[in-house]
Amino acid sequence: MAILKIARMGHPILARKANPVADPTTPEIKRLVADMIETMIDADGAGLAAPQVHVPLQVVIFQAPSDRTAADRAEGNLSEEEHYDHTAPLTVLINPVIEILDPAVEEGWEGCLSVPGLRGLVGRASHIRYSGVDTTGRKVQRVARGFHARVVQHECDHLEGVLYPSRMQDLSKLLFESEVHHWLAKNDAHAEAADQT
Ligand code: NI
């Protein structure tokens, strides 16, 4: 495995569309995914897309909570606010497709390993279904809300050549990470979920 160099905003690899993966089960793709995981952990990110490591393929990885179970709902744990969890399972998604289930937009703080040092308040669809395949060729399909839905949309944007600042409605909410506490002091909001992806 290897820690890969992360492309930063301005590099053309981040502005182009990624290509579909013809065969997700090849040793080359497994190696790419293993290297992406090592790179994401080393950089303390919550997600990573292949173009961020200079590979123009439709491969993303992210850590997000697994599906809500009937038991969770029965216990009243089904919350619209899904909090990021560093122990959450890692998802590998190849050739992903997103379907918006509820177009209602929710704002939340985002960061990106390709836009280091900054945080931005970004509106995203709050309820999606996503699908794709993993490196065994098995289909992955999940419904996601809250932060989980946000991370998936952020990562899949990388495959379209889109970085989060261009999704922002109000660039006055694009801040240096070191200054976010000023905004938080004035606003009753949470920025803990502003992990870099
Ligand atoms: Ni990102």
Side-chain angles (χ1 to χ4, degrees):
M1 295 214 293
I3 292 170
L4 304 172
K5 186 177 180 190
I6 296 175
R8 309 211 307 176
M9 182 166 62
H11 193 292
I13 190 77
L14 296 172
R16 59 160 287 185
K17 279 183 189 266
N19 299 318
V21 176
D23 180 355
T25 65
T26 62
E28 290 75 19
I29 295 297
K30 288 189 168 83
R31 181 176 171 180
L32 169 65
V33 167
D35 288 348
M36 285 174 63
I37 291 169
E38 192 175 13
T39 302
M40 182 183 78
I41 291 169
D42 177 69
D44 197 25
L48 192 67
Q52 292 184 275
V53 291
H54 303 84
V55 177
L57 290 175
Q58 293 179 13
V59 178
V60 300
I61 61 171
F62 52 88
Q63 283 189 291
S66 56
D67 287 348
R68 298 293 176 145
T69 63
D72 280 337
R73 283 190 287 272
E75 287 165 24
N77 291 336
L78 187 67
S79 157
E80 294 297 316
E81 287 297 316
E82 214 165 7
H83 294 291
Y84 177 61
D85 176 1
H86 277 277
T87 64
L90 184 84
T91 297
V92 175
L93 203 57
I94 298 169
N95 301 337
V97 174
I98 291 179
E99 180 188 349
I100 305 229
L101 297 179
D102 181 348
V105 168
E106 210 167 69
E107 288 199 312
W109 289 95
E110 296 188 17
C112 181
L113 295 173
S114 295
V115 190
L118 296 176
R119 293 289 185 270
L121 197 63
V122 187
R124 300 276 187 190
S126 59
H127 191 195
I128 64 168
R129 178 187 292 122
Y130 62 90
S131 58
V133 292
D134 65 16
T135 56
T136 68
R138 198 185 54 177
K139 182 163 184 176
V140 177
Q141 180 168 290
R142 286 193 201 130
V143 169
R145 294 175 186 268
F147 184 73
H148 186 176
R150 174 174 303 281
V151 169
V152 176
Q153 290 171 85
H154 176 117
E155 296 315 327
C156 291
D157 264 0
H158 278 297
L159 306 182
E160 298 291 324
V162 174
L163 298 177
Y164 79 80
S166 60
R167 290 287 189 202
M168 292 179 66
Q169 299 283 317
D170 177 0
L171 285 174
S172 75
K173 307 284 168 49
L174 183 63
L175 314 177
F176 282 103
E177 187 180 4
S178 57
E179 311 307 316
V180 170
H181 68 276
H182 295 295
W183 192 92
L184 292 174
K186 285 205 304 187
N187 298 274
D188 183 24
H190 306 280
E192 290 79 12
D195 297 274
Q196 303 182 99
T197 55

